[in-house]
Amino acid sequence: MKTSVNFDHVDPKFREHLLLNDRERISKIYRDCWVNYPQVVAIRAGVRAIYEMPPKTQAQCMLICGRPGMGKTSLFKKIESDMESLRKRHIDSYGCIAFSLSPDPNLHGFEDSISEALGVPIGKIRTGLVPEAFCRLAHLRRMRLVLIDEVHNLLNAGRIDQRKNLAFLRALSSPPMSLSIIAFGVDDALHAISSDEQLERRFQLCDLPPWKENESFRSFLAAYERALPLKKPSELGKQENVRYLLGATGGITDAIVKRITRGAVWAIVEGKEAIDHYCLEKAAEIPPYLDCFDDET
């Protein structure tokens, strides 16, 4: 009598990956994978709320900041995708542009970034003034949001350029445009924005702190585990695994994800099919490419 294999530990939309060979499953494990957890759900909902607000004289803005590796750029791309989905679903939806701030920011860099995002030149930015061409285009496209990644790069500019850049951001979020700025950056981003008191008051601060041992982190681990095509449950949320991951990574999302994905690959390479403590320890190293075994003598 055959015993049915239970794959309830894998999310239904990923279970077909379990039918692939080992090399193909490893490729799936290494793919970029978005996992929702309470903090990012709240931030995405907050951006949607700002998007849906009636126009305000001084636009409501948001600053999402945290240490490097906490997933800010992934969240930036996810919110950009959220806005694009809204635009496709609703004919009368509002517009949005997204770009990353240059490591050496100045007003000319803003011109280039916004022009590239829009697909057309916007004209020359003057201190504290928005080009008329940009105003007209923003009105035609019913623009509501400006998403800016790497906003901490504002601090790389000299003092005069910093003031010009902040004056431009203030102008974007003031009449006649009144665009809501959703900015992303490392912790220093707060210093960049707070150097302009008028601008700072318009920003709601959202922090992405390093993970701690709590239910939110266990929820994140459980969700990530359900996306992995392993044939046995790993139970990453067990206390010993939680404490090991936090101790080995300092609670930084990028380092945690690397430990989990590499641990999953080691679980396949070692024939375990589940991430145990041994696999998490081995995950400090990059697992070998399977073809290397074919050439061994």
Side-chain angles (χ1 to χ4, degrees):
M1 181 176 179
K2 290 185 177 180
T3 303
S4 61
V5 180
N6 187 334
F7 291 141
D8 287 348
H9 62 285
V10 179
D11 189 293
K13 63 176 174 286
F14 297 124
R15 285 178 194 164
E16 63 181 20
H17 297 165
L18 291 164
L19 303 177
L20 302 173
N21 63 41
D22 289 353
R23 189 171 290 106
E24 291 170 327
R25 284 195 294 145
I26 288 172
S27 179
K28 296 295 184 183
I29 288 169
Y30 277 138
R31 77 198 187 286
D32 287 332
C33 178
W34 173 260
V35 173
N36 261 336
Y37 57 92
Q39 291 96 321
V40 298
V41 169
I43 291 170
R44 291 172 67 189
V47 174
R48 176 65 185 271
I50 290 173
Y51 175 85
E52 298 287 359
M53 284 180 183
K56 300 171 69 68
T57 302
Q58 292 184 347
Q60 174 67 60
C61 302
M62 182 183 289
L63 174 61
I64 299 101
C65 60
R67 289 175 57 186
M70 285 308 300
K72 296 177 298 298
T73 296
S74 294
L75 179 55
F76 172 86
K77 292 178 180 177
K78 189 64 176 177
I79 289 175
E80 184 181 6
S81 175
D82 289 345
M83 297 301 104
E84 179 64 15
S85 296
L86 283 172
R87 187 188 65 80
K88 289 179 178 179
R89 286 203 302 266
H90 304 288
I91 297 175
D92 59 346
S93 62
Y94 299 112
C96 169
I97 60 169
F99 60 90
S100 293
L101 202 58
S102 165
D104 184 21
N106 51 44
L107 290 181
H108 181 67
F110 269 116
E111 292 167 13
D112 290 343
S113 296
I114 295 174
S115 295
E116 184 177 352
L118 289 170
V120 294
I122 65 166
K124 189 170 181 59
I125 299 173
R126 305 286 182 183
T127 304
L129 297 174
V130 179
E132 182 61 31
F134 185 24
C135 288
R136 289 197 301 269
L137 191 58
H139 178 72
L140 287 172
R141 297 191 182 182
R142 304 184 73 236
M143 199 172 297
R144 178 61 61 83
L145 294 181
V146 178
L147 307 181
I148 307 177
D149 198 12
E150 309 288 349
V151 75
H152 51 268
N153 284 337
L154 287 169
L155 293 172
N156 294 341
R159 186 171 298 179
I160 293 175
D161 278 333
Q162 278 189 41
R163 286 201 297 266
K164 290 179 179 179
N165 291 335
L166 293 171
F168 174 63
L169 293 179
R170 193 168 63 244
L172 282 183
S173 57
S174 301
M177 301 197 74
S178 296
L179 298 176
S180 290
I181 299 169
I182 312 297
F184 299 74
V186 300
D187 292 333
D188 284 346
L190 180 59
H191 301 303
I193 298 298
S194 63
S195 59
D196 186 308
E197 291 184 6
Q198 283 183 290
L199 189 61
E200 182 187 19
R201 287 198 297 270
R202 301 176 192 180
F203 277 87
Q204 173 73 37
L205 175 63
C206 296
D207 189 25
L208 291 174
W211 291 101
K212 295 180 180 179
E213 185 179 347
N214 53 32
E215 286 307 310
S216 181
F217 183 47
R218 290 187 178 86
S219 174
F220 172 78
L221 294 177
Y224 209 99
E225 180 179 338
R226 285 178 60 76
L228 298 172
L230 295 177
K231 296 175 182 178
K232 298 178 183 177
S234 299
E235 299 182 322
L236 291 175
K238 290 195 302 185
Q239 188 176 64
E240 63 184 64
N241 291 330
V242 168
R243 290 184 174 177
Y244 179 81
L245 282 168
L246 291 175
T249 65
I252 302 300
T253 303
D254 180 63
I256 291 166
V257 168
K258 284 177 180 173
R259 280 278 173 160
I260 293 173
T261 54
R262 290 176 183 179
V265 174
W266 277 114
I268 292 175
V269 170
E270 298 284 350
K272 291 174 174 285
E273 289 296 338
I275 306 170
D276 59 12
H277 191 76
Y278 169 82
C279 291
L280 289 177
E281 288 183 328
K282 288 284 288 181
E285 310 165 16
I286 298 174
Y289 181 59
L290 289 182
D291 277 351
C292 71
F293 299 138
D294 300 334
D295 300 325
E296 289 182 350
T297 57

